[in-house]
Amino acid sequence: MAVFERFFKQSNGCPVDYDGQVVNLFDRLQVNDGQEIKVIFESVHSNWRQGIHLSTDGTFEVNKQTAAEIVLWQDTSPREVVLKVHSQKGECLVMNIWDTGNGLLQRGHNGAAMIVEELPNGRRYQCNDGFADDDFDDIVFRLERV
């Protein structure tokens, strides 16, 4: 059973090598101030509700609303969502989240980890939720710079 939480505690949250792959607890996607990014949900293979949490030092703008943090649940969000990012640091913090059925957003513990794949215009995230396995298919999504 893969309890990535232990590895990330030892590395102070830095990426770790697991079975020949680099796995991350979270990611920092570099963006320009005012840049649009597209969230694309690819697949979910979990008994738990899956989603993503995005945050920045500025705000996200979507549907004429702004917020410093965005939560998108795969089951209630459109498959593709375009967000405008306003950030002084030029980054967007990315984490996968889940709900085991009690209505609480969970992240970053037990089996949580992600494989981050660099793409020409963004990144693909293959995520493991809190269940202690290492299949990295609980939620798969992309963030593309528009």
Side-chain angles (χ1 to χ4, degrees):
M1 303 208 37
V3 181
F4 294 105
E5 184 175 10
R6 280 186 263 146
F7 302 137
F8 292 128
K9 280 185 181 176
Q10 292 171 350
S11 73
N12 290 320
C14 293
V16 296
D17 182 70
Y18 175 77
D19 201 25
Q21 295 189 67
V22 176
V23 296
N24 301 269
L25 179 59
F26 61 90
D27 186 42
R28 290 187 195 323
L29 179 70
Q30 299 302 305
V31 294
N32 294 321
D33 183 40
Q35 183 167 35
E36 291 185 332
I37 57 172
K38 185 188 297 185
V39 177
I40 303 164
F41 291 104
E42 291 187 8
S43 63
V44 171
H45 293 99
S46 176
N47 292 327
W48 298 336
R49 186 178 194 206
Q50 300 291 312
I52 64 172
H53 178 263
L54 305 174
S55 61
T56 188
D57 66 330
T59 59
F60 294 98
E61 184 181 330
V62 63
N63 294 333
K64 299 179 182 177
Q65 297 181 358
T66 59
E69 299 181 45
I70 299 278
V71 170
L72 296 171
W73 293 104
Q74 181 274 337
D75 63 338
T76 58
S77 173
R79 184 179 176 275
E80 296 185 6
V81 178
V82 176
L83 311 165
K84 185 179 272 191
V85 185
H86 299 283
S87 171
Q88 293 180 348
K89 289 184 182 177
E91 67 182 26
C92 173
L93 186 67
V94 182
M95 291 188 80
N96 64 305
I97 59 174
W98 64 92
D99 173 1
T100 60
N102 60 6
L104 297 176
L105 181 152
Q106 298 187 51
R107 65 179 178 199
H109 65 85
N110 203 19
M114 60 173 61
I115 296 171
V116 181
E117 176 187 355
E118 201 67 41
L119 301 173
N121 60 341
R123 294 185 177 152
R124 173 176 285 113
Y125 299 87
Q126 300 173 62
C127 303
N128 219 49
D129 59 24
F131 187 76
D133 61 21
D134 60 1
D135 54 20
F136 292 95
D137 69 349
D138 297 321
I139 186 168
V140 179
F141 64 95
R142 292 190 320 266
L143 295 181
E144 297 180 351
R145 294 175 192 91
V146 177

